[in-house]
Amino acid sequence: VRLLLDGGRELRFHDTRKFGRWRLTRRPDAVLARLGPEPLDAALTAPALCARLRAHRRILKPLLLDQTFLAGLGNIYADEALWLARLNPCRASDSLRTDEARRLLQAIRDVLRQGIRRGGSTLGPGLPHFESPGGQRGSNQAALQVFRRTGAPCPRCGSPVRRAMIAQRATHYCARCQPPHAITPRPTSSPRA
């Protein structure tokens, strides 16, 4: 998409990976209302995130990528936040405790702020890779702990970083630092004899 602006300037949108969308509307609030909360907004608290997580029974990683659940979190930052919070990407969202939701929210904010400070993550050359409108490449890729580090030692424990496809997205994690969660069965209303 190329928009011609006053003064001869242009606004261009080129999305080779096809994740973005354009909508022409007179009511942007109707479109934006479908988005989940912004993770850097102070109004999003750990108890609120925990309630949102528990309202779904979904695999954690794809839920974090769902823009109607949480706006602005992409694949790189989801992997990095889950590693930082020590949460397995296949964990059931409704199994997180409040302290785990607090850790997750802090990790999401930490990795997003780091990415902003470093100008984003540019993972390779060419059109499908991030550049600022001024043509600057990001430097956050040098600070990534697990994303695209398959087989490299985990910076925390030294175990090899693993790669798995979860909901059709490449997912990078440490099996030792992010172990699967054993779900404790919920008690039934009548005890068994």
Side-chain angles (χ1 to χ4, degrees):
V1 175
R2 193 174 97 191
L3 301 177
L4 301 175
L5 306 175
D6 292 341
R9 297 184 68 163
E10 293 181 4
L11 173 62
R12 295 180 184 182
F13 177 77
H14 181 83
D15 183 16
T16 56
R17 299 186 68 202
K18 303 199 180 2
F19 290 137
R21 301 286 179 267
W22 274 76
R23 291 204 173 94
L24 184 59
T25 180
R26 292 186 190 279
R27 295 194 47 231
D29 55 315
V31 175
L32 297 175
R34 290 189 289 240
L35 293 176
E38 212 289 325
L40 296 178
D41 187 342
L44 179 61
T45 63
L49 177 62
C50 191
R52 291 178 66 75
L53 289 163
R54 288 181 180 169
H56 300 273
R57 181 159 178 78
R58 290 182 55 190
I59 296 172
L60 190 53
K61 166 83 182 276
L63 181 60
L64 293 177
L65 295 177
D66 181 342
Q67 301 300 297
T68 64
F69 177 77
L70 196 63
L73 195 62
N75 201 40
I76 295 171
Y77 299 99
D79 281 1
E80 292 293 306
L82 288 167
W83 177 82
L84 190 59
R86 295 178 177 249
L87 294 171
N88 189 285
C90 288
R91 178 98 176 253
S93 63
D94 63 343
S95 73
L96 267 72
R97 300 181 313 265
T98 304
D99 64 307
E100 292 172 315
R102 182 172 287 107
R103 257 191 359 244
L104 178 59
L105 181 58
Q106 188 59 54
I108 289 169
R109 288 175 171 164
D110 288 348
V111 299
L112 288 176
R113 287 182 181 123
Q114 173 185 285
I116 291 166
R117 277 192 315 274
R118 292 172 153 270
S121 299
T122 303
L123 300 174
L127 289 176
H129 300 285
F130 173 77
E131 284 186 357
S132 73
Q136 296 290 341
R137 296 167 56 80
S139 66
N140 194 52
Q141 63 277 7
L144 299 177
Q145 304 297 308
V146 291
F147 188 80
R148 285 201 180 169
R149 297 192 69 237
T150 307
C154 168
R156 193 166 33 225
C157 76
S159 295
V161 171
R162 294 187 182 179
R163 180 182 187 272
M165 294 301 287
I166 299 174
Q168 301 169 338
R169 299 303 303 270
T171 301
H172 306 82
Y173 67 102
C174 173
R176 182 180 290 166
C177 293
Q178 299 168 262
H181 178 68
I183 298 174
T184 306
R186 294 186 179 137
T188 59
S189 57
S190 60
R192 293 183 181 192

